[in-house]
Structure formats: C-alpha cells, structure tokens
Amino acid sequence: MKRDEPIRVLCVDSHPAMRKGIAAILANEPDMLLVGEASNGPDAVELLRLCHPDVTLMDLLIPGLGGIEAIRLMRKEAPQARIVALTSYGGDQDIYRALEAGAWGYLLKEKAHSEIVRAIRTVHSGKRLALADLAEHLRDCPPHVALTPREVQVLRLVAQGLSNKDISDQLGTMFGTVKIHIQNILCKLRATDRTHAVTIALHRGIIHLEELKNARNAGAS
C-alpha cells in the first residue's frame, strides 16, 4: 500500500449497532477507510477475498464459522492478514484461542471507543497489539487449560443441565466414557464438582452463555 492511501478496514460483528458505531469512529479518521462489513464467518472470509482489507476487526461470537475458525481460515488464505479479535469477553481462554488462531491482537468491546483507532494503526504498522490490562489479566490467570474438543462439548452439555446418561445418549458414546471426560474436566479446571467446573469455564471463556442459550433454543424448536 502506498503511504498516502488509507488503511482499509473490514468490520465483522453480529450486532448492527456495533458495526454502525465502528463505522462512525472510522469515518472521523482521514487515514482509514471501512471497505466492508460482515455479520458472520462465511461472509467475512468472502469479503477478505473481495475487499483485500489491511486490518480486520473480528467479533469472536458470530454465526456460521465462528470468529476463531474465521480467523484461522482467513490467515490460511491470506497469511499476511492482520486481524484484531474484538469481543465482549475477557476470559483468558478466549484470548489464547484468538492468538493461537492467528489474531494480531485482542480488544474488548468496552474499550473499542477509546482504543480501536490506536489498535488499527498498531497492527497495520506491523506490531502486535499488547494492551497493558490484558497482559496483566493473563498474568493473574491460572495456567492455560487444554481441554480437548470432546471435553468442551461434554462441558457444554453439563452446563445445559444434562445428566451423564443424557450426555451419553446425545453423543452416542458409552456412559463410562462420559464419566472419564468429566473427571478429566474437573482435574484440568481444578474444580470441586460439575457446577464449579461450569462456573470456571464461563468465567475463563471456555464456554459462553450465548452458546448455551442458542443450544437451548435449538432444542426447543
């Protein structure tokens, strides 16, 4: 990009009000241009191909692929893509997953109004985004938890109130296997019981309330 060309920004967020707010902020910056908006993962990947943004702001909790998988696919397709994870969650596992997927930084939505312009300029200049409050937050967190995808799936079902037998029936696996998964979850999270494990998982961003609500709504329909 030539020095006098604006920074091309793609905004991906499931909430129209959030996208409108970001658009208003960027409209006041002469060196920035909003080149596209998406509300889900597949559209985000498609707009990456069409708009060639310099910086993408990526909400993690979006329908379709989900923000983490969208980041992973975008970085695979365009290794030079510079993506800032933009989310309302401050759980350490959200931060780790976003960075492992290839995000250049992580910004809480509550900080967006005051930090988003600086964040865009920082990653566009080739630097990683390292906010002091997030760095401090990570230092204060317990060690990084490596739950397997199946353990996370079991934990979500536990959080929905399912018994071991219900989980076994839903996953099509043996009852004893479910018990082993739950024992591993309790051990890894250092939880005293199932309820404690769910509380820890919600706090750390391993599972989210919106995911549970969507699952309940899908089951009720």
Side-chain angles (χ1 to χ4, degrees):
M1 188 188 78
K2 297 178 181 179
R3 296 176 65 90
D4 57 347
E5 291 183 352
I7 302 171
R8 299 169 60 83
V9 181
L10 170 62
C11 178
V12 184
D13 198 288
S14 59
H15 297 92
M18 188 66 190
R19 298 199 305 272
K20 184 177 180 179
I22 291 174
I25 292 173
L26 299 186
N28 292 322
E29 303 300 322
D31 63 335
M32 296 183 186
L33 176 65
L34 183 63
V35 295
E37 296 182 33
S39 61
N40 58 66
D43 286 351
V45 176
E46 182 63 21
L47 284 176
L48 175 75
R49 302 181 184 123
L50 295 175
C51 300
H52 306 291
D54 298 308
V55 177
T56 297
L57 305 173
M58 175 67 72
D59 181 14
L60 295 188
L61 196 63
I62 52 175
L65 295 171
I68 297 295
E69 186 59 25
I71 292 172
R72 193 172 286 116
L73 287 177
M74 292 169 80
R75 286 300 307 274
K76 182 178 180 180
E77 182 159 325
Q80 77 282 4
R82 294 174 183 177
I83 303 170
V84 175
L86 183 64
T87 180
S88 56
Y89 295 109
D92 63 296
Q93 299 306 298
D94 285 315
I95 299 172
Y96 281 123
R97 284 199 296 263
L99 297 179
E100 288 170 355
W104 278 56
Y106 188 104
L107 186 62
L108 297 179
K109 287 186 178 180
E110 64 188 48
K111 302 280 187 180
H113 182 74
S114 59
E115 297 284 353
I116 199 165
V117 170
R118 184 181 69 84
I120 291 171
R121 291 196 178 113
T122 296
V123 299
H124 182 253
S125 70
K127 299 176 182 177
R128 301 280 176 174
L129 185 63
L131 296 180
D133 54 347
L134 287 181
E136 183 177 352
H137 174 68
L138 286 175
R139 283 197 302 270
D140 294 338
C141 284
H144 183 27
V145 177
L147 294 186
T148 68
R150 177 62 96 178
E151 288 167 353
V152 174
Q153 187 179 22
V154 168
L155 187 54
R156 288 197 185 103
L157 295 175
V158 170
Q160 293 173 43
L162 274 66
S163 67
N164 285 7
K165 183 180 183 306
D166 292 334
I167 295 172
S168 174
D169 292 341
Q170 182 156 330
L171 297 181
T173 189
M174 295 179 63
F175 180 83
T177 302
V178 174
K179 288 185 66 176
I180 292 173
H181 283 318
I182 291 178
Q183 289 170 359
N184 289 339
I185 290 167
L186 296 180
C187 180
K188 289 180 179 180
L189 296 183
R190 302 178 184 178
T192 56
D193 54 32
R194 294 159 65 102
T195 301
H196 189 205
V198 171
T199 301
I200 293 172
L202 287 169
H203 177 72
R204 298 188 65 179
I206 298 170
I207 60 176
H208 301 110
L209 283 174
E210 281 77 3
E211 295 172 336
L212 304 180
K213 291 177 183 177
N214 292 338
R216 292 193 189 101
N217 292 338
S221 60

